[in-house]
Amino acid sequence: MKLLTLDDFELKDKTVFLRVDMNCPINPDTMEISGTTRIEEATESINAIKDAKIVVASHQGRVGNKDYTGMEKHAKVLEQLLNRKIKYVEDVIGVSAQNEIKNLKNGDVLLLDNLRLCAEENYEFSSAEAANTIMVRRLAKLFDLCVMDSFPSAHRSHPSIVGFSYVLPSCAGKIVEREVKKLDEIMTVAKAPHVVVLGGSKVADRLEAINLLIKKGRADHVLLTGLIGNVFMRAQARIKSPLGIKREEEIVSKAHSLIGEYPDVFSTPVDVAIDKDGSRVEVDVRDLNKEDKIFDLGPNTVEHYNKLISGAGTVFMSGPPGYFEKEQFSFGTKSILEGVTNSMATTIVSGGHLTSALKKYGLADKINHISTAGGALVLYLTGEKLPMIQSLEEAAKKHRAK
Ligand code: 3PG
């Protein structure tokens, strides 16, 4: 393996910066964390770093979005999962955070507040630029080692992802180590036809990734669900009214160009389920009204998608096909996941929501690889070098050259 791991370093007495990804689904009504899988993942590296002072850092949500919150609740969940005291500071780079870090003792774990409270963390930089941000200049001098374990954000080049690793001895944490090893194994055995089942809400990110997946021969069929499915149905003029998403016209026009470029690749739903006074109602896509809100796939779409999945050599599924948290809209997600687990293909399922759904339906042990990463994993599968992995490879090169 090109990356260094925790086994390559003496950790005793060290102050360690541990970048994890505890970006969790948040219930918009209660602002409570509604799925803790990524916090569970964060415990692995914390448990593996012994006799050291650990400073844990993560982002949560995007500025302006409903899931953008502080990390206090994450600290509580972490404390319960680890069954040990977690210190928490409502600060990222200020005097309070710096003093807390300086006062840590061996065995202490301190969680910083949401990294995106710091403006710089919302921009992309080269590694050298990231190392020159105030965040990295202020904090790096307080650490002996940087451990990168936020695989779901490996495709971002934010200061916490590529800056600390540029100036500090750095290695992969447990999750990054496992993901890279497992995905590289899968990439060598992955066979055609490649079927990609794509849902979820980060539509703009996904469009470029779809383009790359198709170009690199990693997507022979793209079966669209969720919000991205709606975008393509709008591009096909099968949904007539606006979806109300940011930069909608630009996104729909990109989807339109992709359909034009690859006419045989995309499948979109033929029927869906909508909400009528809290109940599920099946509707043919041609009969959708302006005010209808789509929450799930319909049975004909599921049957068609599962037929394509059953003939696949490799299936990659990212983002839930429906609002499965509500029982009446769980049919699409459950049935497609069953289709994926019943197929003979090599299967990869990605994203926090689908990871929770697999657990809920008792299907998790029937999938070859499950990852809580969404966009990062899609890009990894295209063969693109992710900024975090690149910066860890460079750190490893520097370390070995010593
Ligand atoms: C994710 O959930 O995909 C990661 O946490 C990255 O989040 P972002 O897309 O807001 O950068």
Side-chain angles (χ1 to χ4, degrees), residues 21 23 38 59 62 116 152-153 155-156 158 202 205 374-375:
D21 191 325
N23 183 21
R38 284 189 175 171
H59 68 283
R62 290 184 184 174
R116 290 184 179 173
S153 15
H155 56 321
R156 305 288 178 224
H158 299 154
K202 290 180 182 169
D205 283 2

Side-chain angles (χ1 to χ4, degrees), residues 19-24 38 58-63 65 67 116 121 124 150-156 158 202 205-206 351-352 372-377:
R19 174 54 157 113
V20 294
D21 191 325
M22 297 198 291
N23 183 21
C24 294
R38 284 189 175 171
S58 173
H59 68 283
Q60 168 62 55
R62 290 184 184 174
V63 178
N65 283 4
D67 59 353
R116 290 184 179 173
E121 186 68 4
E124 307 261 321
S150 55
F151 188 71
S153 15
H155 56 321
R156 305 288 178 224
H158 299 154
K202 290 180 182 169
D205 283 2
R206 295 294 168 91
T372 64
L377 183 51

Side-chain angles (χ1 to χ4, degrees), residues 267-285:
S267 296
T268 49
V270 288
D271 56 349
V272 291
I274 59 167
D275 179 280
K276 278 257 155 74
D277 304 322
S279 298
R280 177 186 179 102
V281 175
E282 313 286 350
V283 184
D284 189 299
V285 168

Side-chain angles (χ1 to χ4, degrees), residues 90-116:
E90 263 186 18
D91 187 17
V92 181
I93 60 168
V95 175
S96 312
Q98 292 180 47
N99 285 339
E100 289 284 342
I101 298 170
K102 286 179 197 157
N103 291 331
L104 290 174
K105 309 259 177 317
N106 273 356
D108 283 351
V109 181
L110 169 71
L111 175 62
L112 300 179
D113 210 341
N114 189 343
L115 289 167
R116 290 184 179 173

Side-chain angles (χ1 to χ4, degrees), residues 337-352:
L337 282 174
E338 282 168 351
V340 173
T341 53
N342 288 336
S343 82
M344 302 297 287
T346 302
T347 51
I348 307 165
V349 171
S350 116

